[in-house]
Amino acid sequence: MPKNEKQEELNLRSEEVQEILSTPPIWIVRWGVTLIFMFTLILIALAFLIKYPDFVTAKVLVTTKLPTEKVIARVPGQLDKIFINNQDTVFANQKIAIIRNTADYKNVYQLKTILDSASTNIRNFEFPLGITSKFILGEIEPAYINFEKSYIDYMLLKNLQPHKNQLSGNKKSLAEIKNRLQSQIEQKNILEEEVILKEKEFSRMEQLYKKGIISAQEYETKKVDFLQTRKNINNMAISISQMREAISSANQSLTSSYINENEDNTKFLSNLLQSFSSLKRAIKDWEYKYILKSSIKGVASYQQFWGQNQQVNSGDVVFSLLPIDKSELVGKLTIPSQNAGKVTLNQKTLVKLDNFPYQQYGMLIGKVKNISVSPDLEGNYFVYIEIPNGTKTSYNKNLPFKQELIGNAEIITEDLSVAERVFYKFKDIFKYE
């Protein structure tokens, strides 16, 4: 095609295109502005409806309301005996394992049973020394020897009753002295009557002597006889006084015997009770050191493979006990001080577990239950959340809970819309004006 014809055709088409662009279709003019306005309104409405909350995130440990118990070895040593298998259900105060020591645990628990039966009436309890003296007690041995000595001393005092024999002799001596005193008093009364008669007889003899009827020798003989009777009364009074002094001494001796008896009974009984308590305390200390036992009812889990004669170190977590009741779960969070002031009670919390991806299983829903009032040494705050639906996730799936779960928690501090966030940005722009 010649060049001029091409140029004419191009100019013709350009005029048509220009005509179309200069006169757009009527429907575009009629509905275009309306559609743009409606689209703008929809965007604005969505900006108010769509929520974009603020989060405070932290690592979370999900566990039961009654926390999992960690059974820790308190002394280093070899495992002498393991009483349970992995995943066994154990009860409170059940023995789980024993760390090897110098005592025979069967003898120790047999002794403990005997002591528990003696606790109700230790004074009249007959302790089987013939059996217990053969026990292998290891570290408990000194406390047992002290108790055994105190028990033997107390039983000898109780059975032989040396103070009662002494008291019986003192009582008999006192009774004899009192009888002699009574006899002395009666004799003194007789002598006093005799003195009265002798005095009358001596008066008559004295009158006869003055009249010269009797000789001086007879008068002097009667006078000596009368004075001797008075002397006998004085001697009798001295004897009675001595008797009364002897009675007083006997009473003091009797009282001392009573006091000694009470002192010995109290002392020996006190020694027995103290040694009894010391022995029970020694058994508890031995249990605390060498016996691994549960404090709760739960499912036991080995922290690693354990076998007899295997070495454990002080502070090792040997077993974990997961409580039976798993219906109430709680989460434990540690959040930094930054943004910690936004966290308040009853705020909604989303828990994403590491074990179960939340995209597939969903999230656990909780709420803030408690916040520490002050930070720790590292400036962190402790937050506790409750999970009322247990392991039921936001996808209505029930997750199996066989151990403590670790994940990430997002505490929703402010549930703001996109429009509110835009307004906050404008507020930040004008806050310095």
Side-chain angles (χ1 to χ4, degrees), residues 165-212:
N165 295 330
Q166 185 178 2
L167 286 171
S168 177
N170 289 339
K171 288 178 182 180
K172 289 180 179 179
S173 297
L174 181 60
E176 290 292 334
I177 295 173
K178 287 181 177 180
N179 290 334
R180 288 200 297 270
L181 176 61
Q182 187 62 34
S183 298
Q184 293 283 352
I185 292 173
E186 292 176 357
Q187 290 182 11
K188 183 174 179 291
N189 293 333
I190 295 172
L191 286 175
E192 286 176 349
E193 292 180 0
E194 185 178 354
V195 165
I196 293 172
L197 295 175
K198 292 262 185 182
E199 186 176 7
K200 290 179 180 180
E201 184 179 3
F202 177 69
S203 297
R204 289 195 296 268
M205 294 298 291
E206 187 176 16
Q207 291 177 0
L208 293 175
Y209 172 71
K210 289 179 179 180
K211 294 178 179 180

Side-chain angles (χ1 to χ4, degrees), residues 56-61 331-337 372 376 378-384 409 411:
V56 173
T57 61
K59 295 295 291 183
V60 62
L61 174 67
K332 302 177 181 179
L333 295 78
T334 303
I335 62 174
S337 57
S372 61
D376 60 10
E378 298 178 358
N380 298 321
Y381 289 84
F382 295 100
V383 177
Y384 292 87
I411 303 173

